[in-house]
């Protein structure tokens, strides 16, 4: 299947409140519309994960990131600029003051985990969808993340509404993103290297 057709199909499913499996800039992800509380609830159910554990969202650019955070701290912009280098490890930022997202996606302290993806497929998917997309690792909670398509458990493949065709043949190691917590006061905490 051609990439543009694959993305078109995935976007259609996301717009209808469906759940997809897709390759990201890190491991394979379970995704849905980050503004749709019912879709987010389904992702938690598919992962068998407690909904008090926040999920990561992907966006395609700086402007879209700003839609979901009341005020992006200056230190975040410095970090985002340094991550634009293609060799930089994908890094998820936990930012305070989440807005315009499904309430069950926002952590109890009002923060949200966001990552600007630079990987071609997930970036184009976010661009075409025009909203943040949930990106949680394609696994049942507590099991290893699916680095490649063949690592995805059969029950996950059956539980979602669409499985993207991109990068299904790939066999190479992928790592989860680094996670950095940035507070409004400028405090920086590394959660996962």
């Amino acid at each position: 299947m051609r990439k543009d057709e694959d993305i078109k199909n995935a976007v259609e499913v996301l717009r209808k409140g469906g759940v997809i499996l897709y390759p990201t800039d890190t491991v394979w992800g379970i995704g849905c519309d980050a503004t749709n509380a019912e879709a987010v609830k389904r992702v938690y159910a598919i992962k068998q994960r407690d909904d008090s554990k926040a999920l990561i969202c992907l966006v395609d650019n700086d402007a879209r990131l700003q839609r979901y955070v009341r005020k992006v701290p200056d230190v975040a912009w410095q970090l985002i600029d340094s991550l634009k280098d293609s060799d930089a490890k994908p890094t998820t930022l936990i930012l305070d003051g989440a807005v315009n997202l499904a309430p069950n996606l926002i952590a109890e302290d009002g923060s949200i985990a966001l990552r600007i993806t630079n990987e071609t497929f997930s970036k184009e998917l976010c661009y075409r969808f025009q909203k943040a997309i949930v990106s949680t690792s394609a696994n049942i909670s507590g099991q290893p993340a699916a680095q490649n398509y063949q690592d995805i458990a059969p029950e996950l493949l059956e539980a979602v509404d669409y499985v993207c065709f991109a990068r299904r043949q790939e066999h190479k190691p992928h790592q989860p993103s680094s996670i950095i917590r940035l507070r409004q006061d400028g405090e920086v905490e590394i959660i996962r290297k």
Side-chain angles (χ1 to χ4, degrees):
M1 177 180 288
R2 289 192 354 258
K3 179 176 144 188
D4 56 340
E5 196 179 331
D6 198 15
I7 288 175
K8 181 174 164 273
N9 293 343
V11 166
E12 247 171 61
V13 170
L14 291 169
R15 285 198 178 122
K16 291 178 183 164
V19 176
I20 65 169
L21 278 169
Y22 67 111
T24 74
D25 53 343
T26 60
V27 295
W28 270 71
I30 301 173
C32 72
D33 177 349
T35 66
N36 182 326
E38 281 304 307
V40 170
K41 189 173 160 185
R42 257 190 78 206
V43 170
Y44 280 116
I46 289 167
K47 273 191 78 81
Q48 298 169 29
R49 183 171 176 168
D50 181 3
D51 68 6
S52 68
K53 291 187 172 182
L55 302 173
I56 291 170
C57 297
L58 282 190
V59 292
D60 59 323
N61 61 44
D62 305 4
R64 192 128 22 238
L65 179 124
Q66 284 184 280
R67 277 193 203 169
Y68 302 111
V69 179
R70 218 170 260 117
K71 183 183 183 314
V72 179
D74 291 340
V75 67
W77 293 124
Q78 294 163 13
L79 195 56
I80 288 165
D81 284 343
S82 73
L83 294 170
K84 288 185 177 163
D85 175 5
S86 60
D87 294 338
K89 182 176 182 187
T91 301
T92 300
L93 303 180
I94 300 176
L95 300 166
D96 293 326
V99 291
N100 304 320
L101 292 162
N104 52 344
L105 196 56
I106 299 169
E108 287 174 17
D109 66 1
S111 66
I112 187 66
L114 287 163
R115 185 167 75 248
I116 298 171
T117 179
N118 287 316
E119 183 270 335
T120 56
F121 186 85
S122 55
K123 189 175 188 83
E124 180 141 352
L125 181 65
C126 290
Y127 172 73
R128 294 264 194 95
F129 187 54
Q130 296 285 299
K131 289 189 210 172
I133 299 174
V134 165
S135 179
T136 182
S137 55
N139 61 319
I140 303 295
S141 201
Q143 294 179 359
Q147 293 185 33
N148 295 289
Y149 172 76
Q150 69 272 11
D151 303 325
I152 301 171
E155 64 263 33
L156 287 181
L157 293 169
E158 290 164 21
V160 301
D161 304 304
Y162 185 74
V163 181
C164 291
F165 286 85
R167 293 178 34 206
R168 283 194 188 185
Q169 306 308 316
E170 198 170 82
H171 298 278
K172 64 183 196 183
H174 292 278
Q175 297 288 312
S177 69
S178 296
I179 300 178
I180 299 176
R181 176 83 163 92
L182 301 175
R183 299 198 184 275
Q184 284 297 338
D185 63 9
E187 185 191 327
V188 176
E189 179 189 357
I190 296 170
I191 309 282
R192 182 170 71 197
K193 279 196 171 208

